[in-house]
Amino acid sequence: MKKIVALILAIALVITGLYPSQLVEAATTTTTGDGLDFNTEEYGYYVASKNLSVNPQTFEATVRLDTSKNEDGSYKYWNPGVIYSNTDKATPGTFEFGFTTGSRPYAAFIDDSGERVQKVFSIQTSENHNAIFRTGKFLHIAIVNDQTNDRMVCYLNGAQWATVSGAFKGTLTPSRPSCIGGDYREANTLFFKGAIKNIAVYSTAQTATNVKNHYKNGVSGSESGLLAAYTLGLTSNNALYPETISDLKGSYPVTRTRLNFMTEAEKEAVSPRPKYDYSMVVDRDTQVVTAHSANGNTPGEVDKIFQWILDNKESKK
């Protein structure tokens, strides 16, 4: 009987592609907890109180990607979005860390001269990446800018997962405060689709041993090179969507900001519906575009349309 059980277990290991040591590792170090879900009706993101003192060389985060699907079986959000960033994709002195299309981890930097360097970790098909990262469970992801070996390294659950040649070696002085769960691009349209439990960024390239230790034991605050670290949704002072979240190092607390979209419930609550000379439907995309302009950006075509309506509200009745 014992031989039969052993044979069944061996077959199961072959099918899953895991060795016994890997199964033990996964069972003993699986990260759990709720974190903060940024993929909500009134999503928000968090902005630090000031610029980082130096450019991060290592990013770490424990995240859970959104797994919702469309009717045809495709994922609702093809681009999981930004975890930690201070960019608008154009301003020098900025960086970003997150997942791009097809659930591929990436990091990008724009140096002080305006040159952009982006590295995407893509070693398999999008379908395989989705199977790896869209599990419905929290995963620890880390990207290290290894200038010594001229490469960037991506770690998954404490183990090296992929490398790409060419480290970022430019001079980058952070030019604006960092954001968690979004950034400054077009009213935060690349917000993170999923939950974030913790984040840590370092001024130095962390070793493989360090990354594995951070995955297993968390971050204490005394780690060499640690710039900032945050725990989201797990401590007593972090209620659901708190207005502020403290930095473990104490230097860069973050404050919640949100776009004041009307939710579906708020739209339905407008009753009786007033009568106007003009009426229009404002969907979420329209709100995103107009909010982008309202935040001091260059007016676009939507702004011009609204301005035409205002300018001609009497003559074109």
Side-chain angles (χ1 to χ4, degrees):
M1 183 64 180
K2 291 182 179 179
K3 292 182 178 180
I4 294 175
V5 172
L7 178 60
I8 293 174
L9 178 59
I11 294 173
L13 293 177
V14 172
I15 292 175
T16 59
L18 294 173
Y19 295 100
S21 60
Q22 291 176 296
L23 285 179
V24 171
E25 184 81 359
T28 57
T29 61
T30 298
T31 306
T32 60
D34 290 336
L36 287 185
D37 189 354
F38 287 79
N39 189 25
T40 65
E41 181 68 22
E42 56 163 320
Y43 70 83
Y45 58 108
Y46 288 85
V47 181
S49 58
K50 59 183 178 180
N51 301 356
L52 287 177
S53 58
V54 296
N55 177 45
Q57 298 297 320
T58 299
F59 303 92
E60 294 180 340
T62 303
V63 299
R64 182 183 64 226
L65 301 191
D66 182 88
T67 58
S68 57
K69 294 186 177 182
N70 299 310
E71 291 183 359
D72 62 1
S74 61
Y75 283 100
K76 183 177 181 181
Y77 299 106
W78 184 238
N79 188 331
V82 172
I83 298 172
Y84 187 81
S85 169
N86 76 336
T87 194
D88 60 3
K89 208 172 182 177
T91 302
T94 57
F95 51 82
E96 53 191 284
F97 161 57
F99 286 84
T100 187
T101 55
S103 304
R104 297 175 298 165
Y106 82 102
F109 305 86
I110 303 179
D111 66 21
D112 291 349
S113 68
E115 181 178 351
R116 178 180 171 85
V117 174
Q118 175 172 311
K119 299 296 181 179
V120 178
F121 296 88
S122 181
I123 63 173
Q124 300 180 31
T125 65
S126 295
E127 289 75 14
N128 286 337
H129 279 92
N130 285 329
I132 293 169
F133 293 107
R134 293 184 187 266
T135 63
K137 299 179 180 179
F138 278 106
L139 303 170
H140 185 271
I141 187 79
I143 293 180
V144 177
N145 185 42
D146 182 2
Q147 295 181 350
T148 301
N149 296 298
D150 193 25
R151 62 179 185 170
M152 287 194 198
V153 186
C154 181
Y155 295 84
L156 173 62
N157 288 344
Q160 183 173 315
W161 182 70
T163 62
V164 291
S165 61
F168 171 73
K169 296 183 177 181
T171 300
L172 192 160
T173 306
S175 59
R176 58 179 61 181
S178 306
C179 303
I180 295 175
D183 56 26
Y184 301 97
R185 279 175 285 191
E186 298 178 1
N188 193 27
T189 52
L190 291 179
F191 69 96
F192 188 70
K193 291 82 171 174
I196 301 174
K197 192 174 80 165
N198 53 56
I199 293 175
V201 291
Y202 305 80
S203 62
T204 55
Q206 296 293 294
T207 65
T209 300
N210 288 347
V211 172
K212 186 174 183 178
N213 182 61
H214 301 161
Y215 163 60
K216 285 188 170 183
N217 303 314
V219 176
S220 67
S222 61
E223 289 76 9
S224 176
L226 182 65
L227 286 170
Y230 307 92
T231 298
L232 286 71
L234 294 180
T235 60
S236 58
N237 66 327
N238 280 358
L240 185 62
Y241 304 110
E243 291 306 310
T244 60
I245 298 176
S246 59
D247 165 24
L248 185 61
K249 292 286 289 184
S251 300
Y252 305 98
V254 294
T255 302
R256 188 184 183 200
T257 183
R258 59 175 76 72
L259 300 175
N260 294 316
F261 294 145
M262 287 183 69
T263 65
E264 293 301 322
E266 289 171 335
K267 295 173 188 176
E268 292 300 322
V270 180
S271 180
R273 301 198 181 270
K275 295 181 179 180
Y276 297 111
D277 294 322
Y278 297 92
S279 64
M280 64 185 71
V281 174
V282 181
D283 62 14
R284 173 155 293 210
D285 288 341
T286 306
Q287 293 184 62
V288 167
V289 175
T290 52
H292 175 56
S293 298
N295 287 336
N297 297 286
T298 303
E301 293 302 317
V302 174
D303 305 85
K304 295 175 183 178
I305 293 172
F306 285 148
Q307 190 60 51
W308 183 92
I309 293 174
L310 291 173
D311 294 342
N312 296 277
K313 63 183 179 181
E314 296 298 330
S315 62
K316 301 296 183 180
K317 280 185 179 179

Short mmCIF file of all heavy atoms in Angstrom, two decimals, residues 76-125:
data_model
loop_
_atom_site.label_atom_id
_atom_site.label_comp_id
_atom_site.label_asym_id
_atom_site.label_seq_id
_atom_site.Cartn_x
_atom_site.Cartn_y
_atom_site.Cartn_z
N LYS A 76 -10.05 40.47 -17.92
CA LYS A 76 -10.68 41.78 -18.03
C LYS A 76 -9.63 42.88 -18.15
O LYS A 76 -9.80 43.84 -18.90
CB LYS A 76 -11.57 42.02 -16.81
CG LYS A 76 -12.34 43.32 -16.84
CD LYS A 76 -13.26 43.45 -15.63
CE LYS A 76 -14.05 44.75 -15.68
NZ LYS A 76 -14.93 44.88 -14.49
N TYR A 77 -8.54 42.73 -17.40
CA TYR A 77 -7.48 43.74 -17.42
C TYR A 77 -6.22 43.11 -17.99
O TYR A 77 -5.53 42.35 -17.31
CB TYR A 77 -7.22 44.27 -16.01
CG TYR A 77 -8.42 44.95 -15.40
CD1 TYR A 77 -9.15 44.33 -14.38
CD2 TYR A 77 -8.84 46.20 -15.84
CE1 TYR A 77 -10.25 44.95 -13.82
CE2 TYR A 77 -9.94 46.83 -15.29
CZ TYR A 77 -10.65 46.20 -14.28
OH TYR A 77 -11.74 46.80 -13.73
N TRP A 78 -5.91 43.43 -19.24
CA TRP A 78 -4.75 42.86 -19.92
C TRP A 78 -3.46 43.42 -19.34
O TRP A 78 -2.43 42.78 -19.31
CB TRP A 78 -4.85 43.16 -21.41
CG TRP A 78 -3.77 42.56 -22.26
CD1 TRP A 78 -2.90 43.22 -23.07
CD2 TRP A 78 -3.47 41.18 -22.42
NE1 TRP A 78 -2.06 42.35 -23.71
CE2 TRP A 78 -2.39 41.08 -23.32
CE3 TRP A 78 -3.99 40.00 -21.88
CZ2 TRP A 78 -1.83 39.86 -23.70
CZ3 TRP A 78 -3.42 38.79 -22.26
CH2 TRP A 78 -2.36 38.72 -23.16
N ASN A 79 -3.53 44.67 -18.84
CA ASN A 79 -2.36 45.32 -18.26
C ASN A 79 -2.56 45.46 -16.75
O ASN A 79 -3.34 46.29 -16.31
CB ASN A 79 -2.15 46.69 -18.89
CG ASN A 79 -0.85 47.34 -18.46
OD1 ASN A 79 -0.35 47.09 -17.37
ND2 ASN A 79 -0.30 48.19 -19.31
N PRO A 80 -1.90 44.63 -15.92
CA PRO A 80 -2.13 44.70 -14.47
C PRO A 80 -1.77 46.03 -13.83
O PRO A 80 -2.32 46.39 -12.79
CB PRO A 80 -1.23 43.58 -13.93
CG PRO A 80 -1.12 42.62 -15.07
CD PRO A 80 -1.06 43.50 -16.29
N GLY A 81 -0.83 46.78 -14.39
CA GLY A 81 -0.59 48.13 -13.94
C GLY A 81 0.59 48.35 -13.01
O GLY A 81 1.43 47.47 -12.80
N VAL A 82 0.61 49.55 -12.41
CA VAL A 82 1.76 50.06 -11.67
C VAL A 82 1.67 49.70 -10.19
O VAL A 82 0.62 49.89 -9.56
CB VAL A 82 1.85 51.59 -11.83
CG1 VAL A 82 2.90 52.17 -10.90
CG2 VAL A 82 2.14 51.96 -13.27
N ILE A 83 2.77 49.21 -9.64
CA ILE A 83 2.86 48.95 -8.20
C ILE A 83 3.45 50.16 -7.48
O ILE A 83 2.89 50.66 -6.51
CB ILE A 83 3.72 47.71 -7.92
CG1 ILE A 83 3.09 46.46 -8.57
CG2 ILE A 83 3.90 47.50 -6.42
CD1 ILE A 83 3.99 45.24 -8.51
N TYR A 84 4.60 50.64 -7.97
CA TYR A 84 5.31 51.73 -7.31
C TYR A 84 5.98 52.57 -8.40
O TYR A 84 6.73 52.03 -9.23
CB TYR A 84 6.36 51.17 -6.36
CG TYR A 84 7.06 52.17 -5.48
CD1 TYR A 84 6.45 52.65 -4.32
CD2 TYR A 84 8.33 52.63 -5.79
CE1 TYR A 84 7.11 53.57 -3.49
CE2 TYR A 84 8.99 53.55 -4.98
CZ TYR A 84 8.38 54.01 -3.84
OH TYR A 84 9.02 54.92 -3.03
N SER A 85 5.72 53.86 -8.42
CA SER A 85 6.19 54.68 -9.53
C SER A 85 6.13 56.16 -9.16
O SER A 85 5.36 56.56 -8.29
CB SER A 85 5.30 54.41 -10.76
OG SER A 85 5.54 55.35 -11.78
N ASN A 86 6.92 56.96 -9.84
CA ASN A 86 6.79 58.42 -9.72
C ASN A 86 6.78 59.07 -11.10
O ASN A 86 7.15 60.24 -11.25
CB ASN A 86 7.91 59.00 -8.86
CG ASN A 86 9.25 59.07 -9.58
OD1 ASN A 86 9.49 58.30 -10.54
ND2 ASN A 86 10.14 59.95 -9.16
N THR A 87 6.36 58.34 -12.11
CA THR A 87 6.52 58.79 -13.49
C THR A 87 5.22 59.25 -14.13
O THR A 87 4.12 58.92 -13.68
CB THR A 87 7.13 57.68 -14.36
OG1 THR A 87 7.58 58.23 -15.60
CG2 THR A 87 6.11 56.58 -14.65
N ASP A 88 5.36 60.03 -15.19
CA ASP A 88 4.28 60.29 -16.14
C ASP A 88 4.71 59.80 -17.53
O ASP A 88 4.11 60.14 -18.52
CB ASP A 88 3.92 61.77 -16.19
CG ASP A 88 5.10 62.64 -16.62
OD1 ASP A 88 6.18 62.08 -16.94
OD2 ASP A 88 4.95 63.87 -16.65
N LYS A 89 5.79 59.02 -17.54
CA LYS A 89 6.40 58.41 -18.74
C LYS A 89 7.14 59.42 -19.61
O LYS A 89 7.49 59.14 -20.74
CB LYS A 89 5.37 57.66 -19.59
CG LYS A 89 5.98 56.49 -20.38
CD LYS A 89 4.93 55.64 -21.05
CE LYS A 89 5.59 54.48 -21.78
NZ LYS A 89 4.59 53.58 -22.40
N ALA A 90 7.38 60.63 -19.09
CA ALA A 90 8.08 61.63 -19.88
C ALA A 90 9.07 62.44 -19.07
O ALA A 90 10.08 62.90 -19.60
CB ALA A 90 7.06 62.57 -20.53
N THR A 91 8.81 62.64 -17.79
CA THR A 91 9.62 63.54 -16.97
C THR A 91 10.93 62.88 -16.53
O THR A 91 10.91 61.77 -16.01
CB THR A 91 8.83 63.98 -15.72
OG1 THR A 91 7.62 64.61 -16.14
CG2 THR A 91 9.64 64.93 -14.87
N PRO A 92 12.08 63.55 -16.73
CA PRO A 92 13.35 63.01 -16.22
C PRO A 92 13.31 62.85 -14.71
O PRO A 92 12.57 63.53 -14.00
CB PRO A 92 14.36 64.09 -16.64
CG PRO A 92 13.73 64.78 -17.81
CD PRO A 92 12.25 64.79 -17.51
N GLY A 93 14.13 61.93 -14.22
CA GLY A 93 14.20 61.69 -12.79
C GLY A 93 13.06 60.86 -12.26
O GLY A 93 12.64 61.03 -11.11
N THR A 94 12.56 59.94 -13.08
CA THR A 94 11.42 59.12 -12.66
C THR A 94 11.69 57.63 -12.92
O THR A 94 12.56 57.26 -13.70
CB THR A 94 10.12 59.54 -13.36
OG1 THR A 94 10.30 59.45 -14.79
CG2 THR A 94 9.74 60.96 -13.00
N PHE A 95 10.88 56.80 -12.26
CA PHE A 95 11.05 55.35 -12.34
C PHE A 95 9.68 54.70 -12.18
O PHE A 95 8.71 55.33 -11.74
CB PHE A 95 11.99 54.85 -11.24
CG PHE A 95 11.63 55.34 -9.88
CD1 PHE A 95 10.65 54.73 -9.12
CD2 PHE A 95 12.25 56.47 -9.36
CE1 PHE A 95 10.29 55.21 -7.87
CE2 PHE A 95 11.90 56.96 -8.10
CZ PHE A 95 10.93 56.33 -7.35
N GLU A 96 9.58 53.42 -12.53
CA GLU A 96 8.32 52.68 -12.37
C GLU A 96 8.61 51.20 -12.21
O GLU A 96 9.58 50.67 -12.74
CB GLU A 96 7.38 52.93 -13.53
CG GLU A 96 7.98 52.67 -14.91
CD GLU A 96 7.11 53.18 -16.05
OE1 GLU A 96 6.10 52.51 -16.35
OE2 GLU A 96 7.45 54.22 -16.63
N PHE A 97 7.71 50.55 -11.47
CA PHE A 97 7.83 49.12 -11.16
C PHE A 97 6.43 48.54 -11.14
O PHE A 97 5.54 49.07 -10.48
CB PHE A 97 8.52 48.96 -9.80
CG PHE A 97 8.33 47.62 -9.13
CD1 PHE A 97 8.72 46.44 -9.75
CD2 PHE A 97 7.79 47.55 -7.85
CE1 PHE A 97 8.56 45.21 -9.12
CE2 PHE A 97 7.63 46.33 -7.21
CZ PHE A 97 8.02 45.15 -7.84
N GLY A 98 6.21 47.47 -11.92
CA GLY A 98 4.89 46.88 -11.96
C GLY A 98 4.81 45.75 -12.95
O GLY A 98 5.80 45.05 -13.23
N PHE A 99 3.59 45.56 -13.50
CA PHE A 99 3.34 44.55 -14.52
C PHE A 99 2.79 45.25 -15.76
O PHE A 99 1.89 46.10 -15.66
CB PHE A 99 2.31 43.52 -14.04
CG PHE A 99 2.84 42.55 -13.03
CD1 PHE A 99 2.87 42.87 -11.69
CD2 PHE A 99 3.30 41.30 -13.42
CE1 PHE A 99 3.35 41.98 -10.74
CE2 PHE A 99 3.78 40.39 -12.49
CZ PHE A 99 3.80 40.73 -11.14
N THR A 100 3.31 44.88 -16.92
CA THR A 100 2.79 45.43 -18.16
C THR A 100 1.91 44.39 -18.85
O THR A 100 1.52 43.39 -18.23
CB THR A 100 3.94 45.89 -19.07
OG1 THR A 100 3.41 46.57 -20.21
CG2 THR A 100 4.81 44.71 -19.52
N THR A 101 1.57 44.60 -20.11
CA THR A 101 0.65 43.73 -20.81
C THR A 101 1.09 42.26 -20.77
O THR A 101 2.27 41.96 -20.81
CB THR A 101 0.52 44.15 -22.29
OG1 THR A 101 1.82 44.19 -22.87
CG2 THR A 101 -0.12 45.53 -22.39
N GLY A 102 0.11 41.37 -20.66
CA GLY A 102 0.41 39.96 -20.61
C GLY A 102 1.00 39.50 -19.29
O GLY A 102 1.68 38.47 -19.24
N SER A 103 0.76 40.27 -18.21
CA SER A 103 1.24 39.90 -16.87
C SER A 103 2.75 39.75 -16.81
O SER A 103 3.28 38.84 -16.17
CB SER A 103 0.56 38.60 -16.40
OG SER A 103 -0.83 38.71 -16.42
N ARG A 104 3.47 40.65 -17.47
CA ARG A 104 4.93 40.59 -17.49
C ARG A 104 5.51 41.63 -16.52
O ARG A 104 5.22 42.82 -16.66
CB ARG A 104 5.46 40.83 -18.90
CG ARG A 104 5.02 39.78 -19.92
CD ARG A 104 5.47 40.15 -21.33
NE ARG A 104 4.86 41.41 -21.77
CZ ARG A 104 5.28 42.12 -22.81
NH1 ARG A 104 6.32 41.71 -23.50
NH2 ARG A 104 4.66 43.24 -23.15
N PRO A 105 6.34 41.21 -15.56
CA PRO A 105 6.96 42.17 -14.65
C PRO A 105 7.91 43.09 -15.42
O PRO A 105 8.53 42.68 -16.41
CB PRO A 105 7.74 41.28 -13.68
CG PRO A 105 7.18 39.90 -13.86
CD PRO A 105 6.72 39.83 -15.28
N TYR A 106 8.05 44.33 -14.95
CA TYR A 106 8.96 45.25 -15.61
C TYR A 106 9.42 46.35 -14.65
O TYR A 106 8.81 46.60 -13.61
CB TYR A 106 8.30 45.90 -16.83
CG TYR A 106 7.41 47.08 -16.50
CD1 TYR A 106 7.86 48.39 -16.70
CD2 TYR A 106 6.14 46.90 -15.96
CE1 TYR A 106 7.05 49.48 -16.38
CE2 TYR A 106 5.33 47.97 -15.64
CZ TYR A 106 5.80 49.27 -15.85
OH TYR A 106 5.01 50.34 -15.52
N ALA A 107 10.53 46.99 -15.03
CA ALA A 107 11.01 48.19 -14.34
C ALA A 107 11.49 49.15 -15.41
O ALA A 107 11.99 48.73 -16.46
CB ALA A 107 12.13 47.86 -13.37
N ALA A 108 11.31 50.44 -15.16
CA ALA A 108 11.72 51.46 -16.13
C ALA A 108 12.28 52.67 -15.40
O ALA A 108 11.87 52.97 -14.27
CB ALA A 108 10.54 51.87 -17.02
N PHE A 109 13.21 53.35 -16.06
CA PHE A 109 13.86 54.52 -15.49
C PHE A 109 14.00 55.58 -16.57
O PHE A 109 14.27 55.27 -17.73
CB PHE A 109 15.26 54.18 -14.96
CG PHE A 109 15.29 53.05 -13.97
CD1 PHE A 109 15.38 51.73 -14.39
CD2 PHE A 109 15.26 53.32 -12.61
CE1 PHE A 109 15.43 50.69 -13.47
CE2 PHE A 109 15.29 52.28 -11.68
CZ PHE A 109 15.39 50.97 -12.11
N ILE A 110 13.83 56.85 -16.19
CA ILE A 110 14.13 57.98 -17.07
C ILE A 110 15.19 58.81 -16.36
O ILE A 110 14.93 59.40 -15.30
CB ILE A 110 12.90 58.84 -17.37
CG1 ILE A 110 11.79 58.00 -17.99
CG2 ILE A 110 13.28 59.99 -18.31
CD1 ILE A 110 10.53 58.78 -18.30
N ASP A 111 16.41 58.84 -16.92
CA ASP A 111 17.50 59.52 -16.22
C ASP A 111 17.35 61.03 -16.31
O ASP A 111 16.42 61.56 -16.92
CB ASP A 111 18.86 59.04 -16.74
CG ASP A 111 19.11 59.43 -18.20
OD1 ASP A 111 18.46 60.37 -18.71
OD2 ASP A 111 19.98 58.79 -18.83
N ASP A 112 18.28 61.74 -15.71
CA ASP A 112 18.17 63.19 -15.62
C ASP A 112 18.26 63.87 -16.98
O ASP A 112 17.85 65.03 -17.13
CB ASP A 112 19.26 63.74 -14.70
CG ASP A 112 19.02 63.35 -13.24
OD1 ASP A 112 17.93 62.83 -12.94
OD2 ASP A 112 19.93 63.56 -12.41
N SER A 113 18.79 63.17 -18.00
CA SER A 113 18.86 63.75 -19.34
C SER A 113 17.62 63.45 -20.17
O SER A 113 17.48 63.94 -21.29
CB SER A 113 20.10 63.21 -20.07
OG SER A 113 19.95 61.82 -20.34
N GLY A 114 16.71 62.63 -19.64
CA GLY A 114 15.48 62.30 -20.35
C GLY A 114 15.50 60.98 -21.08
O GLY A 114 14.53 60.61 -21.74
N GLU A 115 16.60 60.22 -20.99
CA GLU A 115 16.68 58.92 -21.68
C GLU A 115 15.95 57.86 -20.87
O GLU A 115 16.18 57.71 -19.67
CB GLU A 115 18.13 58.51 -21.87
CG GLU A 115 18.28 57.18 -22.61
CD GLU A 115 19.72 56.79 -22.83
OE1 GLU A 115 20.61 57.63 -22.57
OE2 GLU A 115 19.96 55.64 -23.26
N ARG A 116 15.07 57.12 -21.54
CA ARG A 116 14.26 56.10 -20.88
C ARG A 116 14.85 54.72 -21.12
O ARG A 116 15.18 54.34 -22.25
CB ARG A 116 12.83 56.15 -21.39
CG ARG A 116 11.90 55.07 -20.80
CD ARG A 116 10.49 55.18 -21.37
NE ARG A 116 9.65 54.06 -20.98
CZ ARG A 116 8.97 53.98 -19.84
NH1 ARG A 116 9.04 54.98 -18.98
NH2 ARG A 116 8.23 52.93 -19.56
N VAL A 117 14.96 53.94 -20.04
CA VAL A 117 15.39 52.54 -20.12
C VAL A 117 14.32 51.68 -19.47
O VAL A 117 13.96 51.89 -18.31
CB VAL A 117 16.74 52.33 -19.39
CG1 VAL A 117 17.10 50.85 -19.36
CG2 VAL A 117 17.85 53.14 -20.05
N GLN A 118 13.78 50.74 -20.22
CA GLN A 118 12.75 49.84 -19.68
C GLN A 118 13.14 48.40 -19.95
O GLN A 118 13.56 48.05 -21.04
CB GLN A 118 11.39 50.12 -20.31
CG GLN A 118 10.29 49.13 -19.88
CD GLN A 118 8.91 49.52 -20.34
OE1 GLN A 118 8.50 50.65 -20.17
NE2 GLN A 118 8.20 48.58 -20.93
N LYS A 119 12.99 47.56 -18.93
CA LYS A 119 13.28 46.14 -19.06
C LYS A 119 12.04 45.35 -18.68
O LYS A 119 11.50 45.50 -17.58
CB LYS A 119 14.45 45.74 -18.17
CG LYS A 119 15.76 46.45 -18.50
CD LYS A 119 16.27 46.10 -19.89
CE LYS A 119 17.59 46.80 -20.18
NZ LYS A 119 18.13 46.44 -21.52
N VAL A 120 11.58 44.50 -19.61
CA VAL A 120 10.40 43.66 -19.40
C VAL A 120 10.86 42.21 -19.31
O VAL A 120 11.63 41.74 -20.15
CB VAL A 120 9.38 43.83 -20.55
CG1 VAL A 120 8.18 42.92 -20.33
CG2 VAL A 120 8.95 45.29 -20.65
N PHE A 121 10.38 41.51 -18.31
CA PHE A 121 10.75 40.11 -18.11
C PHE A 121 9.71 39.23 -18.78
O PHE A 121 8.58 39.11 -18.31
CB PHE A 121 10.87 39.79 -16.62
CG PHE A 121 11.97 40.56 -15.96
CD1 PHE A 121 11.74 41.82 -15.44
CD2 PHE A 121 13.25 40.04 -15.88
CE1 PHE A 121 12.76 42.55 -14.85
CE2 PHE A 121 14.29 40.75 -15.29
CZ PHE A 121 14.03 42.01 -14.77
N SER A 122 10.09 38.67 -19.91
CA SER A 122 9.16 37.89 -20.72
C SER A 122 9.87 36.65 -21.23
O SER A 122 10.52 36.66 -22.27
CB SER A 122 8.65 38.74 -21.90
OG SER A 122 7.74 38.03 -22.69
N ILE A 123 9.76 35.56 -20.49
CA ILE A 123 10.49 34.35 -20.86
C ILE A 123 9.57 33.28 -21.44
O ILE A 123 10.04 32.27 -21.93
CB ILE A 123 11.26 33.77 -19.66
CG1 ILE A 123 10.30 33.34 -18.55
CG2 ILE A 123 12.26 34.78 -19.12
CD1 ILE A 123 10.97 32.61 -17.41
N GLN A 124 8.26 33.51 -21.36
CA GLN A 124 7.32 32.53 -21.87
C GLN A 124 6.17 33.26 -22.57
O GLN A 124 6.22 34.47 -22.76
CB GLN A 124 6.78 31.67 -20.71
CG GLN A 124 7.87 30.90 -19.97
CD GLN A 124 7.30 30.07 -18.84
OE1 GLN A 124 6.18 29.60 -18.91
NE2 GLN A 124 8.08 29.89 -17.78
N THR A 125 5.14 32.54 -22.98
CA THR A 125 3.99 33.15 -23.62
C THR A 125 3.14 33.89 -22.60
O THR A 125 3.25 33.68 -21.39
CB THR A 125 3.12 32.10 -24.31
OG1 THR A 125 2.56 31.23 -23.30
CG2 THR A 125 3.93 31.27 -25.30
#
